[in-house]
């Protein structure tokens, strides 16, 4: 399941279910995906910044674009992915708790420590309250981590997002701006849950053979759509980007770094093995920034969506670097 629910799709790692078997072709496809995605997103952001008039009229398309990405995620989900949750509920629960405690909390702390403006603070906290980004599964695959666990945590964190994300956002960001948790819940159901269910249904209809036929195109479809969302978000706040870009990048760098490091530490403290620690580092530190950007733009402002846009680029870069470092270190339990 790799698609960044807002990033690059996970067909490389889990098209045939959570129990992935590494092949040279899969690894090559994954490397291409994680290399190309940040480049495509950066170019889209620069385009949106330099020619905002091209993208600002597309602002109302953002929820539908995200829905398309989530549909591709549904296409990559197989029965084995859901069975994997039941086989190791304790490890999945640890990952889920770490994700929804560490990232929202880190977002709140960093927003206060850097004295971010209300819009930027809400945007950063909202990124932290989003579910796992599906590109995390590709990073886990490249790092020789526990892909099955990563897929399980990412899936469950997304399925509970309609309830958890609005509630945590209201709790942590409500002191900055008004948060309509009920409306946000409805939007997440429409842009995340419904498209995923439709994708799962379509997969059942076209069978695994049909999914394998279209799987190579899914990462590129998601990459293009996410880049489009980022261009729209950047275009909407292009006038303020020069003055706030530095502080936003610092906030995102710290947020992502805390997530990757504390996710690994949480798995270690819980007694999980080395492969599981690598998986949870990515599942905690990488977010569905496309969903966060969409919610921020719809419920707050284009400026509030800026941290999500920056996160979309940075967590793919940092994730790829960390995955490469892990891959060069033997797995020891």
């Amino acid at each position: 399941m790799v698609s960044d629910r807002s990033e690059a799709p996970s067909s490389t790692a889990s098209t045939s279910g959570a129990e992935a078997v590494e092949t040279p072709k899969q690894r090559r496809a994954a490397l291409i995906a994680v290399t190309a995605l940040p480049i495509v997103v950066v170019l889209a952001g620069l385009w949106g910044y330099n020619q905002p008039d091209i993208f600002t009229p597309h602002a109302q398309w953002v929820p539908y674009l995200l829905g398309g990405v989530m549909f591709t995620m549904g296409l990559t989900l197989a029965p084995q992915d859901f069975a994997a949750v039941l086989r190791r509920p304790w490890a999945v629960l640890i990952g889920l708790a770490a994700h929804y405690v560490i990232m929202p909390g880190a977002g709140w702390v960093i927003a206060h420590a850097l004295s971010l403006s209300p819009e930027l603070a809400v945007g950063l906290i909202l990124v932290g309250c989003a579910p796992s980004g599906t590109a995390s599964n590709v990073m886990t695959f490249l790092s020789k981590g526990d892909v099955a666990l990563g897929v399980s945590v990412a899936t469950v964190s997304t399925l509970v997002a309609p309830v958890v994300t609005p509630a945590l956002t209201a709790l942590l960001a409500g002191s900055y701006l008004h948060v309509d948790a009920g409306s946000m819940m409805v939007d997440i159901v429409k842009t995340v849950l419904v498209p995923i269910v439709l994708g799962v249904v379509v997969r059942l209809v076209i069978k695994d053979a049909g999914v394998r036929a279209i799987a190579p195109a899914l990462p590129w479809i998601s990459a293009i759509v996410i880049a489009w969302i980022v261009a729209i978000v950047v275009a909407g706040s292009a006038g303020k980007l020069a003055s706030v870009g530095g502080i936003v990048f610092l906030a995102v760098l710290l947020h992502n770094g805390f997530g990757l490091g504390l996710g690994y530490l949480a798995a270690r403290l819980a007694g999980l093995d080395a492969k599981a620690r690598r998986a949870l580092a990515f599942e905690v530190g990488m977010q569905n920034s496309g969903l966060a950007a969409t919610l921020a733009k719809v419920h707050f402002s284009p400026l509030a969506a800026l941290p999500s846009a920056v996160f979309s680029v940075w967590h793919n870069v940092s994730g790829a670097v960390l995955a490469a470092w892990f891959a060069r270190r033997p797995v020891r339990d």
Side-chain angles (χ1 to χ4, degrees):
M1 159 184 63
V2 174
S3 68
D4 197 5
R5 279 166 281 254
S6 99
E7 289 89 79
S10 62
S11 55
T12 358
S14 65
T15 297
S16 58
E19 303 298 337
V21 177
E22 177 181 336
T23 67
K25 185 177 180 181
Q26 284 179 317
R27 181 162 289 274
R28 185 165 57 254
L31 284 169
I32 292 172
V34 299
T35 301
L37 181 64
I39 296 173
V40 171
V41 173
V42 167
L43 291 175
L46 291 173
W47 193 4
Y49 178 74
N50 288 299
Q51 295 182 295
D53 292 344
I54 294 177
F55 296 98
T56 48
H58 302 165
Q60 71 274 15
W61 296 4
V62 170
Y64 303 102
L65 293 171
L66 178 65
V69 175
M70 303 313 295
F71 175 77
T72 67
M73 176 194 166
L75 285 175
T76 68
L77 290 175
Q80 299 96 306
D81 297 316
F82 300 100
V85 176
L86 300 178
R87 284 198 297 270
R88 290 191 293 174
W90 173 242
V92 175
L93 184 61
I94 290 171
L96 189 67
H99 180 85
Y100 279 121
V101 170
I102 291 171
M103 290 305 282
W108 185 87
V109 169
I110 292 167
H112 276 70
L114 297 181
S115 300
L116 297 182
S117 68
E119 289 174 298
L120 293 178
V122 169
L124 187 69
I125 292 170
L126 183 52
V127 174
C129 296
S132 296
T134 54
S136 59
N137 300 326
V138 171
M139 304 306 177
T140 299
F141 174 72
L142 292 173
S143 72
K144 301 180 181 178
D146 191 333
V147 177
L149 177 60
V151 170
S152 298
V153 173
T155 301
V156 176
S157 72
T158 302
L159 294 178
V160 303
V163 174
V164 178
T165 296
L168 285 175
T169 303
L171 175 66
L172 298 174
S175 60
Y176 288 102
L177 296 173
H178 172 68
V179 179
D180 188 341
S183 176
M184 189 178 291
M185 181 185 299
V186 172
D187 284 345
I188 296 175
V189 169
K190 290 190 298 184
T191 60
V192 175
L193 209 53
V194 171
I196 287 177
V197 171
L198 288 175
V200 171
V201 170
V202 170
R203 182 190 178 107
L204 293 174
V205 172
I206 66 176
K207 310 296 184 182
D208 286 351
V211 174
R212 283 194 294 271
I214 63 174
L218 296 182
W220 305 109
I221 293 172
S222 290
I224 291 170
V225 173
I226 292 306
W228 195 351
I229 292 174
V230 169
I232 293 171
V233 169
V234 170
S237 55
K240 299 181 179 180
L241 188 57
S243 60
V244 302
I247 193 69
V248 170
F249 180 76
L250 175 61
V252 166
L253 186 150
L254 292 172
H255 199 186
N256 174 240
F258 278 125
L260 293 171
L262 294 178
Y264 186 92
L265 179 62
R268 183 170 185 173
L269 292 176
L272 298 183
D273 63 33
K275 286 191 172 186
R277 295 172 201 166
R278 295 181 181 192
L280 292 196
F282 295 114
E283 293 307 325
V284 173
M286 299 185 70
Q287 299 296 91
N288 187 338
S289 47
L291 172 60
T294 301
L295 294 175
K297 188 167 183 61
V298 171
H299 290 269
F300 302 109
S301 70
L303 185 60
L306 190 56
S308 304
V310 175
F311 208 102
S312 285
V313 179
W314 177 248
H315 76 163
N316 283 288
V317 174
S318 65
V321 171
L322 181 59
W325 185 78
F326 274 143
R328 287 167 172 78
R329 297 175 64 86
V331 176
R332 297 189 181 94
D333 291 335

